[in-house]
């Protein structure tokens, strides 16, 4: 394929799903094609994520992104229109060099990720391929439709309830295909809503569209979800609807201990607690069970639980290839959560996916709690062939945009397999 020549770069400050500003970018090639992308934003963030550039000051509680937008229409536009680009990696590396800081703090990871996502779309459009197919080609992976992980019950930093664990997801591992998986997820979500109403627990929603009842104990949340699955008549477990948790333990670790539902626990006690939960409920995946700086805890927990559950690192890896390679060496976690805006460019995101695939690590592609209409992660999950995506509840436009994009991809590509892949090395959780 020939090189990409860029004619014009445009950017605007727009709003994300929480009503805070974010960066939207348009890239126009000399062939006239325009590709857009919008940066998402996290609330429970890892310490080593790419840095968002925020304006400060009174407007939007300091969260304006006018400086980040100015960087895109100024320096970044000058760079991108200065010469043709042979590949996305070529352009992303130039972007990283232009920023010149380790965390993309100068231009902002929110600016660079939006630019990089728009560039990926421009390269795909140049190749005449849908984004997911282009990504699969770049990665050398077999594309597949991911198991959607629906975050139906929210707590932690995403909700105003006393529940310490952040995400309770239902994952239709046993569905025969993606459209059926979506139906199962939506039916469980509605059954849960109805049961919360019956119990007088309805009311709040979390940032990702899941229900946020006033409960404190993870077991109560799990019981409610089990009841909802039963109400739909679907089977609970790996042959039907399994459960995935993202406790996001950074948010309840006070530097020395974990504080969950009124108890103060060591990392060993947390591991025992998870072991009990896994014994009592059909939990198949556990993300950020411990805090990001609890390295010995991660290794011990993985050793104890890896035969029973997928152990996913999010805040601890921040979509960084080197951190993933280190975890593969030290057997800490068995999978990585993939968020392009943690890395700050699509190229670095793809490098992390490659590092995971080579090491027999699983990968789950993820949205952020602050989202937009952009569906990039749906295509990324398909192209990566990793078999897992989380994009919040099966409700609210910024969440369903991704799930609906997967429906389109499924309809356009009838032969695409659905579900978890077999991992080449390491544990196969399927
Ligand atoms: C997470 C995410 C997405 P946030 O912790 O996995 O669900 O939340 O975007 O707030 O980091
Ligand atoms: Mg997480």
């Amino acid at each position: 394929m020939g090189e990409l020549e860029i004619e014009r770069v445009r950017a605007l400050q727009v709003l994300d799903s929480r009503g805070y500003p974010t960066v939207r970018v348009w890239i126009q090639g000399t062939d006239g094609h325009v590709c857009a992308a919008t940066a998402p934003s996290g609330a429970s963030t890892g310490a080593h994520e790419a840095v968002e550039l925020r304006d400060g000051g009174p407007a939007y509680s300091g969260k304006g992104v006018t400086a980040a937008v100015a960087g895109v229409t100024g320096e970044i536009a000058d760079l991108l229109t200065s010469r043709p680009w042979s590949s996305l990696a070529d352009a992303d590396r130039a972007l990283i060099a232009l920023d010149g800081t380790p965390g993309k703090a100068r231009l902002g990871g929110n600016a660079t990720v939006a630019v990089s996502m728009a560039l990926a779309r421009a390269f795909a459009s140049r190749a005449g391929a849908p984004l997911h197919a282009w990504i699969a080609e770049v990665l050398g992976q077999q594309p597949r439709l991911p198991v959607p992980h629906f975050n139906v019950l929210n707590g932690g930093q995403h909700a105003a309830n006393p529940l310490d664990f952040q995400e309770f997801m239902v994952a239709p591992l046993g569905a025969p295909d993606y459209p059926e998986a979506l139906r199962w997820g939506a039916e469980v979500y509605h059954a849960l809503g109805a049961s919360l109403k019956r119990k007088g627990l309805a009311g709040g929603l979390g940032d990702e569209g899941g229900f946020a009842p006033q409960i404190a104990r993870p077991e109560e949340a799990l019981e409610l979800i089990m009841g909802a699955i039963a109400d739909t008549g679907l089977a609970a477990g790996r042959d039907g609807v399994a459960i995935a948790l993202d406790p996001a333990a950074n948010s309840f670790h006070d530097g020395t201990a974990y504080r969950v539902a009124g108890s103060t626990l060591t990392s060993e006690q947390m591991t025992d607690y998870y072991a009990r939960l896994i014994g009592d409920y059909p939990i198949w995946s556990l993300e950020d069970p411990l805090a990001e700086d609890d390295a010995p805890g991660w290794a011990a927990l993985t050793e104890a639980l890896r035969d029973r559950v997928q152990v996913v690192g999010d805040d601890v890896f921040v979509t960084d290839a080197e951190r993933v390679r280190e975890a593969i060496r030290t057997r800490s976690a068995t999978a990585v959560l993939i968020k392009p805006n943690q890395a700050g460019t699509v190229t670095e995101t793809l490098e992390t996916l490659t590092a995971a695939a080579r090491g027999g690590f699983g990968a789950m592609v993820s949205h952020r709690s602050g989202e937009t209409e952009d569906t990039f992660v749906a295509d990324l999950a398909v192209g990566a062939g990793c078999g897992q995506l989380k994009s919040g509840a099966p409700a609210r436009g910024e969440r369903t945009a991704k799930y609906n994009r997967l429906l389109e991809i499924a309809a356009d590509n009838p032969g695409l397999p659905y579900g978890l892949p077999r991992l080449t090395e390491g544990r196969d959780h399927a």
Side-chain angles (χ1 to χ4, degrees):
M1 209 59 217
E3 299 187 311
L4 176 72
E5 280 189 66
I6 296 168
E7 171 107 30
R8 186 168 175 230
V9 180
R10 226 186 120 205
L12 271 185
Q13 169 171 289
V14 298
L15 291 189
D16 72 14
S17 58
R18 277 193 276 251
Y20 287 122
T22 190
V23 181
R24 178 166 295 169
V25 170
W26 292 262
I27 287 181
Q28 183 178 337
T30 49
D31 59 1
H33 274 119
V34 180
C35 292
T38 313
S41 175
S44 65
T45 49
H48 301 283
E49 293 194 16
V51 179
E52 292 182 333
L53 185 59
R54 300 278 183 189
D55 294 339
Y60 287 115
S61 317
K63 288 180 182 285
V65 293
T66 60
V69 164
V72 177
T73 53
E75 277 185 71
I76 292 177
D78 289 347
L79 171 75
L80 293 179
T81 53
S82 68
R83 68 168 173 93
W85 303 95
S86 58
S87 65
L88 178 65
D90 180 24
D92 277 346
R93 277 193 208 104
L95 202 54
I96 294 164
L98 178 71
D99 174 78
T101 67
K104 299 169 184 77
R106 197 176 70 79
L107 294 167
N110 43 351
T112 59
V113 80
V115 168
S116 182
M117 285 156 61
L119 281 168
R121 287 195 166 109
F123 275 100
S125 134
R126 231 190 122 59
L131 182 59
H132 58 89
W134 181 82
I135 289 171
E137 176 81 28
V138 170
L139 285 172
Q141 283 291 340
Q142 284 303 317
R144 59 196 301 124
L145 287 155
V147 175
H149 285 63
F150 302 106
N151 184 9
V152 294
L153 206 151
N154 299 181
Q157 292 187 21
H158 295 170
N161 59 9
L163 190 59
D164 297 303
F165 282 13
Q166 179 176 284
E167 298 171 28
F168 294 80
M169 293 170 273
V170 292
L173 292 185
D177 56 31
Y178 175 73
E180 195 69 351
L182 184 59
R183 179 174 74 82
W184 291 12
E187 289 184 4
V188 172
Y189 179 73
H190 292 131
L192 180 60
S195 113
L196 291 172
K197 199 166 174 192
R198 280 196 308 272
K199 296 181 165 81
L201 285 168
L205 284 185
D207 286 356
E208 300 186 351
F211 300 106
Q214 293 294 317
I215 55 175
R217 293 176 54 246
E219 290 86 342
E220 290 176 82
L222 288 161
E223 285 298 329
L224 286 163
I225 291 172
M226 291 303 285
I229 296 171
D231 289 347
T232 62
L234 293 163
R238 294 187 189 207
D239 295 334
V241 181
I243 294 175
L245 299 180
D246 178 7
N250 268 355
S251 59
F252 53 85
H253 188 246
D254 65 6
T256 41
Y258 296 89
R259 298 183 181 276
V260 183
S263 305
T264 302
L265 304 175
T266 63
S267 125
E268 294 76 28
Q269 288 168 327
M270 274 310 286
T271 301
D272 291 344
Y273 178 49
Y274 290 126
R276 282 200 300 282
L277 291 180
I278 293 164
D280 291 344
Y281 302 95
I283 295 166
W284 97 274
S285 179
L286 191 54
E287 175 185 331
D288 281 358
L290 297 174
E292 67 181 74
D293 52 8
D294 186 357
W298 272 90
L301 179 141
T302 304
E303 184 60 29
L305 302 180
R306 66 181 301 140
D307 290 337
R308 301 170 65 193
V309 82
Q310 169 177 259
V311 182
V312 187
D314 170 13
D315 293 344
V316 68
F317 298 146
V318 292
T319 313
D320 179 78
E322 193 40 51
R323 286 174 190 274
V324 167
R325 282 191 283 266
E326 174 66 16
I328 290 167
R329 276 194 292 275
T330 57
R331 291 170 67 84
S332 302
T334 66
V336 56
L337 200 77
I338 297 288
K339 295 167 164 170
N341 80 323
Q342 284 183 329
T345 64
V346 174
T347 296
E348 289 161 286
T349 305
L350 298 183
E351 282 167 6
T352 304
L353 279 161
T354 299
R358 290 209 176 123
F361 236 45
M364 182 190 290
V365 173
S366 171
H367 67 154
R368 299 306 305 249
S369 51
E371 262 299 334
T372 76
E373 311 87 298
D374 195 304
T375 57
F376 193 93
V377 290
D379 282 74
L380 179 61
V382 173
C386 60
Q388 307 178 47
L389 171 77
K390 68 169 191 175
S391 179
R396 296 182 31 152
E398 76 281 4
R399 313 296 151 186
T400 55
K402 283 71 163 172
Y403 295 132
N404 291 341
R405 171 69 185 143
L406 292 178
L407 280 178
E408 281 174 11
I409 297 173
D412 292 347
N413 301 273
L416 267 191
Y418 163 78
L420 300 177
R422 304 234 148 236
L423 298 179
T424 45
E425 279 171 50
R427 267 215 69 75
D428 181 358
H429 301 281

